[in-house]
Amino acid sequence: MSGNMGITFRAMINSISDGIYICDYEGYCIAHNDAFLRITGIPMDVTGRHVSTLLDDHLISDSVTIEVINSRQRVSKVISYPSGCEALVTGNPSFDEEGNLINVVCEVRDLSELSTLKNELKCSKQLNKQYREILINYGPTMINASRKITARDPKMQNILDALPRIGDSDATVLIYGESGVGKGLIASLLHEHSGRSANGKFIKVDCSAIPPSLIESELFGYEGGAFTGARREGKVGLLDHANHGTAFLDEIGELPLLLQVKLLSVLQDHKIQRVGGTTPLTMDIRFVCATNRDLEKMVEEGTFRKDLFYRLNVIPIAIPPLRERKEDIFMLTLSFLDKFCQKYQRSLSFISEAMDCLYEYSWPGNVRELENVVERLVVLNQTGIIEKADLPEKIRRANQVIVLQHTDFSSRKDRKIIPLKAAVAATERQSIERALRQNVQLGPAAQALSIDISTLLRKCKKLGIMRGSASAKMR
Ligand SMILES: Nc1ncnc2c1ncn2[C@@H]1O[C@H](COP(=O)(O)OP(=O)(O)OP(=O)(O)O)[C@@H](O)[C@H]1O
C-alpha cells in the first residue's frame, strides 16, 4: 500500500479501539494499529516480521494467526499477553477468487475493561447486599401497618425513639422542618402510636391549600343557610372527622389570625362552633401541627398569636433536612428501591458511583425528592443496573463539583477523603482538559497525554468532556 492510500488506511485502522493485526498468507505482518501494540504491550512496530519471531521473542504467548493459516478457518481464542491484558483474539482468513489464502486479519478485543466492569458490578452487588443487611439488621426502621420510616442518623433515631412515648401522651405536637422531610409521616406515626387509631381517624388539613375565605367553614363546618351559597342541610367540618382521632394541621403558619383565635379556643375548651351555629360541640381531638416557617419570628412580627404558639409548642419536634443527615441517604435509597422494585416488579441495583452522587447531592426537596428520583429510576431503567449516567443531570453535576473541589490536593489536611476512583477520574479530566486547551488538534493532544486518539475520544465521551469547549478540533 502506498502514498495517500496507505496514510488513509493507517488512519482508519488507528481509529478503531480494538487491536487490528493483519498478515499475509505466510504469516508476515502487513499492518497493525496502535491499539494492537497497547493491548499486547509490544513496544515497537512489528510490520514485516513473521509471527513466529514474536512468539520466539516472547512478545506474544500464543498465535491465532498460525492456527488460521493451518486450518484456513476462522479461529477465536482468549489470549493473555505479557502486558497483563487479556484479549479475545479472532483471526479471519481471506481468500482470492481461486480460493487461495491471501491474508489473515485478527481483531484483538481487550477483555480487561470488561472484567474490570464485571468486577465493579460484582462489588456493587456485594455492596448492595451489605447495605440491605445493614438496613434489615441495624437500621432502626419502624414498621407500621401501612408505611415504613427509615432513619439512621442519630438525630432522627432520637425522634424515632421518642415517638411511642409522645404518641401515647396525647399532648399537642408541633413539627418543624422543610418541605418533604417527613413531617406528615411522623404525624401519622404519632396517631398510630396514640391508641387513637382504633377509634378515630387521622385527618390532614393543609392550611396553605384552602383559601382563607373558606378555611373556617372547611375546618369547623357550617349550619344550613349560614351564608350565601351554603348548602341547606349544612356541612360537617374536617375537625368533626377527626373526633376521637388526630387532626394534623400542616403549614399552620398560614392560618389567618382570626382563625388562630378560634383554634386556640378549641385547644383550650375542646369545643367547636360551626359557622352560623350557636351551640358548641364537644370534640375529643389530638392536634399535631407542622410548619416550615419560623413561628417565633412570626410571633415577634405579630403575624402569629403568641398564646396559640405556646399552646401548640408543647412538644416540639425538629426534623433536619436530608442534607444534614447524609447517613440516611443510603438507607432511604435502598428502602425506596425495595419499595418500587416490588411495586413495578423489577430487580435493580445501584452502581456505587451512582450511590456516591446521591450522597453528595444537597436534596433541596428532601426525602420526597429522593423518593421521586428513585421511583423514576426504577420505572425508566432497562438494564437492571442504575449507573451514574442514569441520574438526573443536576445530581450528577453536584458530584462532579465535589470531586473537583476535592482534587485540589494542594492544601488542607482536613479535606474529606474521596473514593479513589473519583479522584482518578477528576485527575484524568484535568489532564485531558489541559491537553485539549493547549493543543488545537486531537493528535498532538493525544500525544501529549501518551495515549492514542481513540483512547482520548473514548475518555472524552466517558468523562463528558466537550472537545469544542476545550477548543480542540478533530483532524
Ligand atoms: N424517614 C423516612 N423514611 C421513609 N420515607 C420517608 C421518610 N421521610 C419522609 N418519607 C417519605 O417522603 C415523602 C414526603 O414526606 P412528608 O409528606 O411526610 O413530608 P413533609 O415534611 O410533610 O412535606 P410537606 O411539608 O411538603 O407536606 C413521603 O412519601 C414520605 O412517606
Side-chain angles (χ1 to χ4, degrees):
M1 210 171 299
S2 65
N4 285 343
M5 188 60 187
I7 294 167
T8 312
F9 175 72
R10 191 159 294 281
M12 268 167 57
I13 64 169
N14 270 335
S15 69
I16 300 170
S17 59
D18 286 340
I20 303 287
Y21 172 86
I22 307 168
C23 64
D24 67 10
Y25 67 99
E26 288 180 306
Y28 286 95
C29 179
I30 304 169
H32 59 74
N33 63 359
D34 293 344
F36 171 74
L37 298 182
R38 175 176 51 79
I39 296 169
T40 56
I42 297 175
M44 77 294 266
D45 187 344
V46 291
T47 313
R49 285 185 63 170
H50 193 271
V51 64
S52 60
T53 67
L54 304 184
L55 281 168
D56 293 345
D57 292 350
H58 304 290
L59 293 172
I60 55 173
S61 54
D62 199 353
S63 167
V64 162
T65 309
I66 293 176
E67 287 188 37
V68 176
I69 292 172
N70 291 337
S71 66
R72 295 166 54 86
Q73 280 179 357
R74 186 171 205 250
V75 175
S76 282
K77 247 182 164 180
V78 174
I79 297 181
S80 296
Y81 288 105
S83 65
C85 272
E86 200 177 46
L88 173 67
V89 185
T90 304
N92 297 288
S94 56
F95 303 97
D96 65 14
E97 280 164 6
E98 275 114 44
N100 301 311
L101 181 68
I102 320 170
N103 48 38
V104 179
V105 179
C106 292
E107 285 163 47
V108 184
R109 172 152 295 177
D110 187 356
L111 293 180
S112 332
E113 263 185 36
L114 205 63
S115 25
T116 313
L117 277 177
K118 255 165 66 189
N119 282 343
E120 269 178 16
L121 184 59
K122 209 169 134 199
C123 289
S124 283
K125 283 200 167 151
Q126 185 70 26
L127 207 61
N128 266 349
K129 203 169 143 233
Q130 283 171 9
Y131 288 150
R132 271 209 174 83
E133 275 161 16
I134 295 171
L135 193 65
I136 292 160
N137 296 328
Y138 307 110
T141 57
M142 199 172 265
I143 298 164
N144 52 80
S146 54
R147 302 203 239 188
K148 194 168 159 190
I149 182 159
T150 305
R152 185 102 185 96
D153 177 272
K155 296 183 281 292
M156 288 304 289
Q157 282 185 32
N158 288 340
I159 294 174
L160 293 198
D161 287 346
L163 273 191
R165 271 174 288 130
I166 302 174
D168 242 1
S169 73
D170 231 24
T172 306
V173 176
L174 185 53
I175 308 174
Y176 295 89
E178 289 178 12
S179 180
V181 287
K183 300 187 292 295
L185 181 58
I186 295 281
S188 70
L189 289 174
L190 284 171
H191 172 68
E192 285 175 31
H193 281 283
S194 67
R196 286 177 167 266
S197 51
N199 304 315
K201 292 185 192 149
F202 175 79
I203 301 293
K204 176 179 169 175
V205 181
D206 185 345
C207 301
S208 67
I210 307 174
S213 57
L214 292 182
I215 196 156
E216 183 177 6
S217 55
E218 285 297 312
L219 273 180
F220 299 95
Y222 58 80
E223 296 296 343
F227 48 86
T228 325
R231 283 192 217 157
R232 278 210 3 232
E233 66 281 16
K235 190 181 166 199
V236 169
L238 289 167
L239 293 182
D240 283 76
H241 292 294
N243 198 12
H244 306 298
T246 305
F248 172 47
L249 305 186
D250 202 2
E251 310 286 2
I252 189 75
E254 307 305 318
L255 200 67
L257 271 168
L258 272 177
L259 261 289
Q260 291 179 22
V261 185
K262 208 159 172 185
L263 179 62
L264 183 65
S265 76
V266 178
L267 283 161
Q268 281 167 345
D269 309 331
H270 306 285
K271 286 187 172 30
I272 65 164
Q273 186 146 343
R274 299 223 163 103
V275 177
T278 44
T279 327
L281 305 167
T282 305
M283 291 283 159
D284 166 30
I285 302 171
R286 200 261 175 98
F287 281 91
V288 176
C289 299
T291 184
N292 60 11
R293 298 186 62 178
D294 184 347
L295 287 191
E296 274 181 276
K297 196 161 164 239
M298 288 180 72
V299 168
E300 276 168 29
E301 289 164 353
T303 48
F304 201 85
R305 286 186 67 103
K306 195 174 186 174
D307 41 11
L308 179 61
F309 171 70
Y310 287 120
R311 197 84 209 186
L312 296 179
N313 203 36
V314 180
I315 301 185
I317 297 178
I319 308 182
L322 194 52
R323 65 182 169 281
E324 285 174 19
R325 47 178 164 119
K326 292 220 169 229
E327 271 187 75
D328 282 357
I329 293 174
F330 287 116
M331 292 295 200
L332 284 164
T333 304
L334 293 177
S335 152
F336 291 142
L337 188 66
D338 269 350
K339 174 173 142 183
F340 293 118
C341 280
Q342 273 183 32
K343 180 173 171 189
Y344 297 107
Q345 300 283 299
R346 305 286 315 267
S347 168
L348 289 171
S349 335
F350 269 91
I351 288 274
S352 56
E353 199 190 9
M355 205 47 128
D356 290 345
C357 292
L358 300 184
Y359 183 82
E360 299 293 0
Y361 181 58
S362 61
W363 299 107
N366 292 297
V367 186
R368 180 181 290 116
E369 187 183 7
L370 175 60
E371 189 174 17
N372 292 342
V373 165
V374 175
E375 178 165 18
R376 200 175 329 132
L377 289 171
V378 171
V379 170
L380 297 180
N381 188 278
Q382 293 181 320
T383 59
I385 294 162
I386 300 171
E387 297 182 58
K388 184 177 172 183
D390 300 324
L391 301 176
E393 205 200 331
K394 60 183 176 188
I395 299 178
R396 274 183 283 144
R397 234 185 303 127
N399 179 257
Q400 274 172 8
V401 170
I402 300 278
V403 167
L404 286 175
Q405 278 168 0
H406 286 295
T407 44
D408 173 12
F409 302 113
S410 53
S411 54
R412 303 211 330 252
K413 278 195 202 137
D414 60 345
R415 223 173 263 289
K416 192 182 129 203
I417 295 171
I418 56 164
L420 194 58
K421 249 206 241 140
V424 171
T427 313
E428 264 191 350
R429 164 185 285 280
Q430 279 178 353
S431 303
I432 292 174
E433 283 181 342
R434 194 170 306 135
L436 290 174
R437 265 196 304 275
Q438 289 174 8
N439 297 280
V440 182
Q441 291 166 16
L442 277 176
Q447 214 171 8
L449 292 162
S450 299
I451 53 176
D452 54 55
I453 294 179
S454 56
T455 309
L456 176 59
L457 286 174
R458 198 153 30 89
K459 285 190 182 291
C460 284
K461 194 170 162 208
K462 189 171 155 205
L463 297 167
I465 298 172
M466 306 291 287
R467 293 199 315 279
S469 64
S471 70
K473 286 192 187 108
M474 181 73 175
R475 275 286 165 98

